[in-house]
Amino acid sequence: MAGGLWGGRFEKKEMHPAVLKFTSSIGVDKILAGYDCLSSRAHVEMLEKCGYVSSEEKKAIVSVLDGLLAAIENGQADFGEHEDIHSAIQSYVEERAPDAAKKMHTGRSRNEQVVNDVRLYCKDSIGRITALIRALQKGFVGLADRSRDVIIPGYTHMNRAQPVLFSHLIMAYVEMLERDRQRLEDAFSRCDVSVMGSGAMAGSSLDLNRKFVAEKLGFGSVSANSIDSVSDRDFIVEFVASLSLTAVHLSRISEDLILYSTAEFGFLEIGEDYCTGSSLMPQKKNADVLELVRGRSAGVIGALNSLLILLKGLPHSYNRDLQEDKKFLFESVELIASGLAIMSDLAGTIRLNGEEAAEKLDDEFIYATDLAEYLVRKGVAFKDAHRIVGNIVRHCVDKKMNISDLSISELRGFSGELDEDVYGYLNPETSVKMKKTQGSTNPDLVKKEIASWKKKLER
Ligand code: ARG
């Protein structure tokens, strides 16, 4: 390859092999091959419309590009050594339609071409990830539905806090994923802008039809400023930032499921297919899949940081540093796509162990807040109620007893407002049923939430 797109200025005929190797990005940006073909086709069609290539020249180029597109789709395209995918496709067309291909790059720069290709990639990837998020949401709604009556201790500070429906926790995951989906939808609008016509950075003196190219490629609009168009990668940062939050969400969900599947908690079991054993300890059944989802989130968070660092301090407009953005973007997309897909499958294999969870609810301190609210309903000020129940708990801790081990007269020693019915509140079913506020763990509300999500996800 003799500096295929820029050889004239140089005496040398070939790029120095070490420099070609060092600067080449084709190993990474070949993912963009299909988008580059589509983009080049739209560009050439526009050039014909604007009178810069003849209809024969256009036909010759388009037929080579279409052949290449088909080869890419069948996984049969092999580009060999090139600076990048844009140079590779240019020389591919040159070899097959030499005369016409000389006009293919009229009024265009790789600086804008790469941005448009990446924008097309981002738009498709957002669609792909959105579908995977939807599938995982469905998986979780199914799990919540299957385990609607199971009550577990809810935790704050990793200490038992209050009883909650397991399904309420799972529906929290569905909400988190919904915001991830919304963030992607929002990021999509910033990707949906065509920059073709920006040239290397200043635009073009040729009479090019930017709108035509944008429409051919399905973009919603054309960019406003040619310098901005070739310089910024904020749309990539935004996409990867959104993926980073999904990574953090998947990691936290994994952590919950890993923890709750241990013998120490024992609330649930993960299907054998999604666990692995130990080469040494015969008894082990480890949640390695979830651990890898948790571990790989580091790659996406790291990619976001790398992108921000890559951009910080870059002078306007295009600099070759920007070539490095793609590796971080592509890796993030693949990490999240594979994580979402395997989590959906895994969610279908989770089995609940309600009895084990119920045992942990025998510790009646988990009802302390319910008792305080019982007193509030009897007219006691919350601060006093908090102190009274706190005193009861301290007394029980000292005496190593449960709250229900105290007689009613002992309880009334703490507050005259405590009556016989108070024992009925030391119960998980009552605890969740007593919750009233919208968004709480009340079984009727959770049931409704599950039903409305089921409907929403059918669409
Ligand atoms: N491969 C480059 C990139 O990914 C695009 C080519 C621009 N190169 C140049 N020398 N202006 O950013």
Side-chain angles (χ1 to χ4, degrees), residues 54-72:
S54 68
S55 124
E56 286 67 39
E57 288 164 334
K58 180 203 85 174
K59 271 193 208 131
I61 296 172
V62 166
S63 106
V64 176
L65 287 172
D66 285 347
L68 179 55
L69 254 180
I72 292 166

Side-chain angles (χ1 to χ4, degrees), residues 11-275:
E11 279 178 25
K12 63 184 180 186
K13 288 282 155 282
E14 296 291 332
M15 256 182 106
H16 187 297
V19 173
L20 176 60
K21 187 162 178 245
F22 185 78
T23 57
S24 170
S25 58
I26 194 152
V28 173
D29 61 24
K30 60 179 180 226
I31 292 184
L32 299 174
Y35 300 117
D36 205 73
C37 287
L38 291 174
S39 212
S40 295
R41 195 169 68 185
H43 181 69
V44 171
E45 281 167 356
M46 182 275 289
L47 289 177
E48 185 219 17
K49 194 175 148 68
C50 300
Y52 295 103
V53 304
S54 68
S55 124
E56 286 67 39
E57 288 164 334
K58 180 203 85 174
K59 271 193 208 131
I61 296 172
V62 166
S63 106
V64 176
L65 287 172
D66 285 347
L68 179 55
L69 254 180
I72 292 166
E73 267 153 34
N74 299 330
Q76 283 164 345
D78 180 18
F79 296 105
E81 272 203 338
H82 286 278
E83 229 188 306
D84 54 26
I85 190 61
H86 324 293
S87 318
I89 290 179
Q90 174 73 31
S91 64
Y92 183 95
V93 181
E94 273 170 21
E95 278 161 27
R96 288 157 183 84
D99 292 332
K102 279 200 277 184
K103 294 192 179 169
M104 185 163 98
H105 209 54
T106 307
R108 150 177 114 156
S109 162
R110 282 181 296 163
N111 298 357
E112 55 179 345
Q113 210 178 331
V114 68
V115 176
N116 247 38
D117 290 358
V118 172
R119 285 174 176 277
L120 289 171
Y121 167 87
C122 286
K123 285 175 64 180
D124 275 358
S125 300
I126 287 174
R128 176 178 163 215
I129 297 205
T130 298
L132 288 165
I133 287 179
R134 280 287 183 234
L136 182 53
Q137 285 180 308
K138 268 189 196 165
F140 281 141
V141 171
L143 174 59
D145 207 19
R146 289 204 302 283
S147 54
R148 259 202 344 240
D149 306 327
V150 177
I151 302 175
I152 60 167
Y155 292 82
T156 63
H157 312 270
M158 234 23 247
N159 279 313
R160 275 174 225 157
Q162 292 181 284
V164 288
L165 290 175
F166 176 77
S167 50
H168 191 47
L169 172 66
I170 298 301
M171 293 310 289
Y173 304 162
V174 176
E175 296 293 336
M176 288 149 68
L177 289 165
E178 182 60 7
R179 290 190 299 279
D180 290 338
R181 195 197 57 74
Q182 289 166 353
R183 266 184 288 272
L184 287 179
E185 194 176 289
D186 196 37
F188 183 93
S189 62
R190 244 91 55 206
C191 296
D192 195 21
V193 181
S194 175
V195 301
M196 291 310 290
S198 302
M201 56 90 69
S204 175
S205 66
L206 302 176
D207 219 348
L208 306 177
N209 188 336
R210 297 193 60 196
K211 205 159 163 257
F212 178 89
V213 174
E215 277 168 9
K216 276 266 158 193
L217 293 173
F219 281 108
S221 62
V222 295
S223 60
N225 180 305
S226 62
I227 295 177
D228 180 36
S229 300
V230 300
S231 295
D232 213 344
R233 298 293 185 268
D234 55 353
F235 67 100
I236 300 180
V237 173
E238 216 181 326
F239 181 20
V240 175
S242 156
L243 294 180
S244 297
L245 277 166
T246 305
V248 170
H249 284 163
L250 292 182
S251 181
R252 292 189 68 181
I253 294 169
S254 296
E255 172 61 12
D256 280 356
L257 298 177
I258 293 166
L259 214 52
Y260 294 159
S261 69
T262 59
E264 279 69 16
F265 286 84
F267 302 163
L268 57 89
E269 242 187 88
I270 298 160
E272 222 173 74
D273 283 348
Y274 293 87
C275 295

